[in-house]
Amino acid sequence: MSDDPIDPAFGQELAARLHEAADPVDGAGVTRAGVAAVVERRRDRHARTRALVLGAAAVVVLLAGLAAFVRSGGDAPEQVVTATPSTTEAACVPAPVVTAPAGWFRLSAEQADALLAAGAITRDQADQRAEHAVLLTHDGLQVLSDPEVGPLGDQLRDLGYEDSAGIELLRSEGLLTPEQETAVADRIAPVLEQAQVDRVFDAFPDLLAIAAGGQPFPSAGGTGFSPSGGAATTTEPAGSGGGCEAGG
Amino acid sequence: MTGAVRPRPRAATSVDAAFDALFVRERTAMVRVAYLLVGSEPLAEEIVQEAFASVYARWDRIDNHGGFLRQCVVNGARSALRRRSLERRKAQLLVDDGTAPAGRELLDALAALPLGWRSVVVLRFYEGMTQEEIAVALDMRLGTVKSSLHRGLAKLREALEP
């Protein structure tokens, strides 16, 4: 404790008061059976999400094939089955919400590896994951929600920083450096100076999303970014959320 | 753990034994840490239960199970507080009615800190972890831990000392 920036007496008093407040809590409500139930519930949820995504992909392929069939004049049913969807033939695209930014996320090495393998982030973003948060799309989050990867998608969602207000404030006041603007444009969170963090805290004292103190401040500043609200509802609607039109 | 959770019985046996040991060793301490972070015992229990489930699901891929567990607890607290902040524009801790006045004062003071500072303070002074251990457990830079501790303690001192 010698390098703690506080005098020992206050530290000891604080420790005693923390124990006084928390030690009566026995945690009896947390049980192994309860943990097992949570694990099971998550597995079910992942399975459902996976089924929804696969189902949505099937809808896209089906509609693309239908579009090809319509353009062919309807005289070759086999083409419906074998038609390969392409961006030019299929006017049906995944709902924009899926590819929209979900927020800035600080990644572990394992998460970065999974995202890199899936093409959801770039090598530069993966290499800089220790210093910079990365702007992920809802598609990217879906990669990490795969049962093979585990509940990291949920965890990331919890870790997400959905508030762009801080970056927007700094930008509006001319406090972002060109390097920071470049980082934002590259979809990685800029490293902020302590003074910038302090400015944001002053402006938004109850902004939980930037509660990391002097930590590099992940926020959103890219154009078209919706600051909040989208992340909780956006991983499922790949084909069901609209944006589909029969081509022709 | 039920067989339904782990489809491979042989692997499950060793995992479950190790997980059981972690569960027994850390359960109460983690609930207390979560309680200090969110100020509600039922919510703390829910957070810890979810955290243990995350550890279990990723057991084979985690090197530092205790550290990952603490990270999950802090993240769970952040998530819970964020959900609460949507319900209440200004996020405040909801202190249980049965909390003693002295405890309430402390929890209120903790609640006034950003969660990042609060987590560092609790792990340092309740759990007795070193700054280096906290940095590893929470995947934070050591400098961030130090600045969070410094600022959090200064705020707490203002609030708690007459």
Side-chain angles (χ1 to χ4, degrees):
Chain A
M1 196 189 293
S2 59
D3 60 343
D4 283 344
I6 200 73
D7 70 74
F10 180 68
Q12 289 174 3
E13 180 195 342
L14 177 60
R17 292 184 69 169
L18 288 169
H19 279 280
E20 182 184 11
D23 285 355
V25 175
D26 63 8
V30 180
T31 64
R32 285 288 276 111
V35 173
V38 171
V39 172
E40 187 109 25
R41 193 177 69 231
R42 287 182 179 180
R43 291 169 69 94
D44 289 346
R45 191 178 62 205
H46 285 310
R48 281 198 306 273
T49 301
R50 192 175 180 82
L52 276 170
V53 171
L54 291 175
V59 168
V60 171
V61 171
L62 177 62
L63 289 177
L66 180 60
F69 172 65
V70 169
R71 272 192 294 277
S72 74
D75 56 353
E78 296 82 3
Q79 291 179 6
V80 176
V81 178
T82 59
T84 301
S86 73
T87 52
T88 54
E89 287 182 332
C92 177
V93 297
V97 69
V98 177
T99 53
W104 298 93
F105 299 94
R106 189 163 298 285
L107 304 174
S108 71
E110 188 177 21
Q111 290 161 348
D113 287 345
L115 288 163
L116 183 62
I121 62 173
T122 65
R123 166 60 67 186
D124 284 348
Q125 288 173 323
D127 290 344
Q128 298 184 64
R129 61 149 201 98
E131 291 82 30
H132 296 278
V134 175
L135 187 61
L136 292 182
T137 65
H138 296 291
D139 267 343
L141 287 178
Q142 187 58 47
V143 169
L144 297 180
S145 293
D146 188 284
E148 286 302 307
V149 183
L152 291 183
D154 292 342
Q155 189 193 345
L156 266 182
R157 214 170 270 120
D158 289 346
L159 282 168
Y161 294 80
E162 298 174 5
D163 295 280
S164 64
I167 289 291
E168 293 299 335
L169 171 75
L170 296 174
R171 176 181 286 140
S172 70
E173 295 183 350
L175 297 176
L176 284 184
T177 67
E179 291 77 16
Q180 290 169 334
E181 289 281 14
T182 300
V184 171
D186 289 343
R187 301 167 70 86
I188 57 178
V191 176
L192 297 188
E193 300 297 328
Q194 190 63 55
Q196 293 172 309
V197 176
D198 290 342
R199 173 71 189 102
V200 175
F201 269 122
D202 288 343
F204 307 102
D206 60 344
L207 195 58
L208 290 174
I210 55 168
Q215 200 166 11
F217 169 48
S219 185
T223 55
F225 179 75
S226 177
S228 63
T233 58
T234 47
T235 56
E236 296 179 354
S240 59
C244 290
E245 299 172 8
Chain B
M1 184 60 59
T2 65
V5 174
R6 278 276 161 176
R8 291 173 297 177
R10 286 187 63 187
T13 302
S14 60
V15 168
D16 284 352
F19 180 81
D20 282 345
L22 179 79
F23 183 82
V24 169
R25 187 170 68 246
E26 300 279 19
R27 181 195 68 170
T28 303
M30 287 301 97
V31 174
R32 290 171 178 171
V33 166
Y35 173 73
L36 290 172
L37 296 180
V38 301
S40 159
E41 186 171 350
L43 187 55
E45 289 180 344
E46 182 184 329
I47 289 167
V48 171
Q49 193 143 279
E50 296 279 343
F52 271 114
S54 294
V55 172
Y56 184 88
R58 305 195 39 76
W59 185 269
D60 291 337
R61 298 172 221 171
I62 302 169
D63 293 328
N64 179 357
H65 296 98
F68 186 77
L69 177 64
R70 281 159 178 77
Q71 204 169 11
C72 289
V73 168
V74 172
N75 292 341
R78 176 180 288 117
S79 182
L81 291 172
R82 191 174 60 174
R83 283 197 302 271
R84 183 177 292 169
S85 74
L86 295 177
E87 299 162 4
R88 310 171 73 202
R89 183 66 188 94
K90 187 172 178 64
Q92 299 273 343
L93 294 189
L94 292 175
V95 178
D96 291 346
D97 291 338
T99 306
R104 182 175 299 123
E105 182 190 14
L106 177 66
L107 291 173
D108 285 346
L110 282 172
L113 302 180
L115 184 63
W117 301 359
R118 198 185 315 161
S119 305
V120 171
V121 167
V122 168
L123 293 181
R124 177 71 191 89
F125 288 97
Y126 181 77
E127 285 237 280
M129 296 171 69
T130 66
Q131 296 179 12
E132 290 77 8
E133 288 170 337
I134 294 169
V136 170
L138 299 187
D139 196 20
M140 296 171 80
R141 295 184 307 177
L142 182 59
T144 303
V145 172
K146 288 182 177 180
S147 67
S148 300
L149 192 59
H150 176 75
R151 301 175 82 176
L153 286 174
K155 284 277 187 188
L156 274 181
R157 191 166 203 172
E158 275 180 28
L160 295 176
E161 290 195 337

